[in-house]
Amino acid sequence: MRDFASEMQAIDFRSAGPCPLAYLTLFVSALVAATLLPMQSEALLAYQLTNPVLSIGLLLGVATMGNVLGSTVNWVCGRFLRQFQGRRWFPVSPAALARAEGRYHRYGRWSLLASWMPVIGDPLTVVAGVMREPLASFLVIVTIAKFARYLVVAGLTLAWL
């Protein structure tokens, strides 16, 4: 009976086909990056694009799905956050919330096209939940924005190679 270490040494992951762990790692990275937690998924995507065994289309799809799911977590948080507005621990002052609502009303749901942007994109998806943006339109617009960003990252990475 062989031990685990010798089994792992016998596997050549490059010739065995695409490793599902690469896709899973990218999905989790993109999901966490879309929440308010500090994380970056673009560098991992760029790195994985250099692996000829991995599918470019699948990498783009997995990164987009993870990032959209993370933004949806933000939307859900925003959707249910407002009910706690009167509590002392509520993280946003009434004035700041009013300003965010004003900006969202001025630019509307199309401001979600900026959800891909660093710094403002993640809070914007929370505000969309607070403003009761319908989930269907939220998902369509955010998916377009997130996919476009990953497509640009892939284009720049592959052009560089």
Side-chain angles (χ1 to χ4, degrees):
M1 185 171 183
R2 296 172 60 178
D3 67 340
F4 181 73
S6 60
E7 292 264 343
M8 292 306 290
Q9 288 174 347
I11 298 173
D12 179 6
F13 287 105
R14 289 274 186 183
S15 64
C19 178
L21 188 58
Y23 296 110
L24 179 63
T25 304
L26 180 61
F27 179 84
V28 171
S29 173
L31 187 148
V32 173
T35 65
L36 296 173
L37 299 173
M39 179 81 138
Q40 184 187 36
S41 59
E42 294 84 2
L44 180 58
L45 174 64
Y47 172 74
Q48 289 183 340
L49 285 166
T50 64
N51 185 342
V53 174
L54 300 175
S55 162
I56 295 170
L58 194 53
L59 287 171
L60 289 173
V62 165
T64 301
M65 285 190 308
N67 216 239
V68 170
L69 182 59
S71 292
T72 304
V73 168
N74 291 344
W75 178 88
V76 168
C77 289
R79 181 88 171 179
F80 298 104
L81 188 68
R82 188 153 203 169
Q83 67 183 340
F84 301 107
Q85 185 176 3
R87 307 279 170 93
R88 180 192 306 226
W89 54 264
F90 191 74
V92 181
S93 71
L97 188 58
R99 281 193 306 275
E101 288 174 351
R103 286 187 197 114
Y104 194 82
H105 280 302
R106 182 173 32 191
Y107 300 110
R109 66 178 43 130
W110 300 111
S111 63
L112 289 170
L113 288 172
S115 64
W116 66 269
M117 295 178 71
V119 181
I120 67 165
D122 298 338
L124 186 58
T125 59
V126 174
V127 170
V130 169
M131 299 303 299
R132 304 248 186 253
E133 179 65 38
L135 183 59
S137 59
F138 174 86
L139 288 174
V140 168
I141 296 168
V142 169
T143 299
I144 290 168
K146 303 290 188 165
F147 178 72
R149 184 222 10 238
Y150 285 125
L151 193 60
V152 168
V153 169
L156 291 172
T157 301
L158 296 173
W160 183 269
L161 296 177

